[in-house]
Amino acid sequence: MSSPRKKTVIAALAAALLAGPGVAQAVPQAAPQAAPVPQQRAVAATITWTLVRASNPTQDQQTAYNLITAAMNKAVARYNNLSDLGKNITVHYNPSVPTADGNINGTIRFGSRSYMTERTALHEIAHTIGVGTSSGWSRLGGSGTWTGAQATALVRQYDGSSAKISTGGGHFWPYGLNYENEFSNTAADRHVHIVAAMVRDGL
């Protein structure tokens, strides 16, 4: 009687081993997909943008469109990779604009060629999100120093325990990317993180 029982157990183990690899492989495959979920949430940020184009662009317009497209694609990708902020932005090329500007209504205008850069695009996206343009900005940044706890904690993490975010003229520094010579990949990443922290503070 023990022999048939042994055979049954051996048969069951063999069946389990045959089925096992399929089951065992499914678990490791599922785990790597689960790991990036926090990043997926950040990547799912809904900053999108559209460039308003002339139906028959001149050479000047086409050159501007190409520069603006490259700058905006880089800046939007950086915001979407590093934050969960959302905004639908409409971009215009307007040669009468001396530099570039951004409005909380979601409009960015580029004028001068020298401002059609990722640095400018990041800076102007911040204006569309509320930097210098929202009631939260006036409340938390109107004194000349940002008073929100999260962005302040972040700049102190970057620059030391006495660091602060200064505000004025609708801009902030450090990491406000107000001038081209302020741009680096590190500064650009910190810019996005600080803007996102300002939003959490109530921008």
Side-chain angles (χ1 to χ4, degrees):
M1 283 195 59
S2 64
S3 177
R5 235 185 294 209
K6 251 187 209 172
K7 284 181 185 171
T8 307
V9 170
I10 290 166
L13 285 170
L17 284 170
L18 287 172
V23 175
Q25 285 174 1
V27 175
Q29 284 173 0
Q33 288 174 347
V37 166
Q39 264 187 316
Q40 288 284 345
R41 210 162 7 118
V43 171
T46 52
I47 291 183
T48 60
W49 72 282
T50 306
L51 177 61
V52 177
R53 298 170 180 264
S55 53
N56 293 303
T58 63
Q59 185 58 55
D60 170 73
Q61 288 171 324
Q62 191 56 59
T63 301
Y65 295 162
N66 292 342
L67 292 169
I68 291 167
T69 297
M72 285 297 296
N73 279 343
K74 287 179 186 174
V76 167
R78 196 181 295 266
Y79 264 101
N80 286 345
N81 286 332
L82 299 176
S83 79
D84 59 359
L85 298 172
K87 194 79 182 183
N88 297 320
I89 298 170
T90 303
V91 180
H92 300 266
Y93 168 47
N94 186 335
S96 69
V97 174
T99 56
D101 57 36
N103 191 294
I104 199 165
N105 69 8
T107 299
I108 292 175
R109 302 184 305 166
F110 287 90
S112 169
R113 291 274 196 280
S114 61
Y115 287 86
M116 294 173 185
T117 63
E118 182 186 359
R119 192 279 308 172
T120 304
L122 288 164
H123 178 94
E124 301 308 338
I125 289 169
H127 285 313
T128 71
I129 289 167
V131 169
T133 57
S134 68
S135 58
W137 172 266
S138 301
R139 183 169 46 83
L140 293 163
S143 67
T145 300
W146 183 260
T147 59
Q150 295 207 38
T152 300
L154 196 55
V155 79
R156 287 178 178 170
Q157 181 185 316
Y158 296 148
D159 295 341
S161 59
S162 62
K164 66 175 184 173
I165 298 172
S166 298
T167 59
H171 299 96
F172 72 87
W173 60 92
Y175 308 116
L177 302 182
N178 302 300
Y179 300 99
E180 205 64 39
N181 63 6
E182 294 176 32
F183 183 85
S184 69
N185 280 318
T186 298
D189 287 353
R190 290 179 177 184
H191 168 85
V192 172
H193 287 308
I194 285 173
V195 172
M198 285 178 164
V199 170
R200 293 192 299 273
D201 281 336
L203 179 63

